Amino acid sequence: MSFPHFPGPRYNIDTSNCAEFLNALFENARKLSLLPMLDVVIDKMAEWFNRQMKDAAAGLSTRKLVPFVENKIHKRVPKGQKLIVTPLNTFELEYSVIGKDGKTYIVDLHQKKCSCRKFDIDRYPCALSIGADVKCLKHDRPLELSDMYDIISPNYLTKVWALAYRRTIYLVPHMSEWMVPKDIAEQCPLPPEYTKKGKNSGKKVSFGWRTWAPYQ
């Protein structure tokens, strides 16, 4: 079986193990029948959305980045300011930066890339990119860059974070309270009946949620 290639970022904060995480989280719920399992999933989603909404609204109004990225940038700025930066092409915003390991790296602020690959993958600047950005803002002052936030993915902005969780996840009411339009109910197909083999052979069983009955 072949699986489609996912070209998007799937590393670090943009994690790729969400399926494994959810499988472990709902390990017990997956043993339930369909509707009770969905109730557990929706309940957890409602809990997450509510918590994320409160976290996004908390904190200082001047905070522009989500806490994880803001803390990373705060730690990297002092390191980046000490690095040796050489302009290569100020029109294309390309810079050569000597890292703490003594190696030379190429930073492209226009393309938001660094040869160390951290900037490319995380979408927020590494210490090398921060060094180049400080040099750029101090001496070159390009029109497309007004501050360091311009080279950070907008996905990490607090306003985008709050926007992602702005909706309320409502729990599904009891089945007795469902109001299913007649035309929709008539269109809901049921699973086909089949003849059970073995001890109760010859008996027809249907697993449709409207006609379910336990084995006799």
Side-chain angles (χ1 to χ4, degrees):
M1 179 182 295
S2 62
F3 295 92
H5 172 66
F6 179 75
R10 300 189 304 158
Y11 173 77
N12 199 9
I13 192 171
D14 294 316
T15 181
S16 62
N17 67 343
C18 56
E20 291 81 356
F21 168 73
L22 292 176
N23 281 336
L25 179 67
F26 298 118
E27 180 179 3
N28 294 328
R30 289 165 58 197
K31 301 175 184 177
L32 304 173
S33 55
L34 179 60
L35 294 182
M37 181 189 70
L38 290 177
D39 286 338
V40 174
V41 173
I42 295 173
D43 183 73
K44 179 57 68 174
M45 294 297 294
E47 176 190 334
W48 282 345
F49 266 64
N50 184 56
R51 184 171 70 243
Q52 292 293 338
M53 278 190 288
K54 292 194 297 183
D55 290 345
L60 300 176
S61 59
T62 55
R63 187 179 68 186
K64 293 186 177 182
L65 300 174
V66 297
F68 180 87
V69 175
E70 186 174 28
N71 292 335
K72 284 285 187 180
I73 298 298
H74 181 73
K75 294 178 181 179
R76 291 177 180 179
V77 167
K79 299 177 182 178
Q81 290 175 331
K82 298 177 182 179
L83 300 177
I84 299 176
V85 181
T86 303
L88 298 178
N89 187 332
T90 53
F91 293 99
E92 296 295 334
L93 304 183
E94 294 179 335
Y95 297 84
S96 172
V97 184
I98 300 178
K100 290 184 64 177
D101 55 4
K103 297 181 180 180
T104 300
Y105 298 87
I106 304 300
V107 176
D108 187 336
L109 296 178
H110 182 72
Q111 298 292 333
K112 300 180 181 179
K113 293 182 178 181
C114 178
S115 56
C116 76
R117 296 284 293 158
K118 287 184 178 180
F119 193 13
D120 309 45
I121 295 173
D122 291 336
R123 301 298 180 187
Y124 57 86
C126 56
L128 301 164
S129 304
I130 290 176
D133 187 66
V134 170
K135 178 86 172 183
C136 176
L137 294 174
K138 185 176 181 180
H139 298 283
D140 302 325
R141 301 184 182 90
L143 295 176
E144 59 265 45
L145 292 183
S146 59
D147 55 35
M148 191 175 300
Y149 296 108
D150 290 333
I151 64 173
I152 300 176
S153 170
N155 293 332
Y156 299 130
L157 297 177
T158 52
K159 60 181 180 182
V160 176
W161 179 25
L163 189 64
Y165 294 96
R166 72 187 187 281
R167 298 185 181 276
T168 302
I169 303 296
Y170 294 99
L171 303 182
V172 178
H174 188 268
M175 188 184 300
S176 62
E177 301 178 20
W178 292 0
M179 299 179 64
V180 182
K182 184 178 179 180
D183 59 326
I184 299 298
E186 293 175 349
Q187 295 178 20
C188 292
L190 296 176
E193 294 183 343
Y194 76 97
T195 302
K196 183 175 176 63
K197 297 181 180 180
K199 181 178 179 181
N200 296 319
S201 60
K203 289 187 177 181
K204 290 185 177 181
V205 181
S206 174
F207 285 93
W209 64 269
R210 288 183 296 174
T211 60
W212 165 258
Y215 293 130
Q216 300 297 324

